[in-house]
Amino acid sequence: MSAGAKVIVYSQPFCGYCTAAKRLLDRKGIAYTEIDVMLEPERREEMIERTGRQTVPQIFFGERHIGGFDELNALDKSGGLEKMLAAESRAP
């Protein structure tokens, strides 16, 4: 993944879907920045403004909003995640 395509995961403790999303990213070797919206409540507002959603996790690849765990998992299962990563690795 190119340096410009930073992965961000908005999450909170005790969230099974957040844990599952982070495990999937870890398994794929995808580095990410985790934003804990319980520790930083102002970041929850930022997340809601960016996504229109109030639930976690919310995952971004660069400026592209992937969605939550279900969307990330579906993207992975369809091969779309690999294609996206391959495209990012070819980006300048």
Side-chain angles (χ1 to χ4, degrees):
M1 177 157 279
S2 70
K6 185 176 182 182
V7 177
I8 296 175
V9 179
Y10 291 91
S11 69
Q12 66 185 29
F14 314 112
C15 166
Y17 287 108
C18 299
T19 301
K22 293 182 287 185
R23 282 186 184 154
L24 191 155
L25 293 170
D26 290 340
R27 194 171 61 246
K28 294 288 184 178
I30 301 170
Y32 57 89
T33 299
E34 181 178 5
I35 299 173
D36 184 331
V37 298
M38 281 188 69
L39 290 177
E40 301 180 77
E42 68 280 3
R43 302 301 296 267
R44 177 181 291 277
E45 292 302 317
E46 170 188 289
M47 177 192 79
I48 294 168
E49 285 178 24
R50 290 183 77 185
T51 66
R53 298 180 181 184
Q54 297 186 25
T55 59
V56 290
Q58 293 300 321
I59 303 158
F60 283 84
F61 280 53
E63 292 300 312
R64 180 176 176 187
H65 180 228
I66 300 302
F69 170 72
D70 289 339
E71 292 87 357
L72 179 66
N73 193 43
L75 187 63
D76 181 43
K77 288 188 183 304
S78 72
L81 184 56
E82 296 297 330
K83 288 177 186 171
M84 189 169 29
L85 294 172
E88 286 294 332
S89 68
R90 289 190 304 270

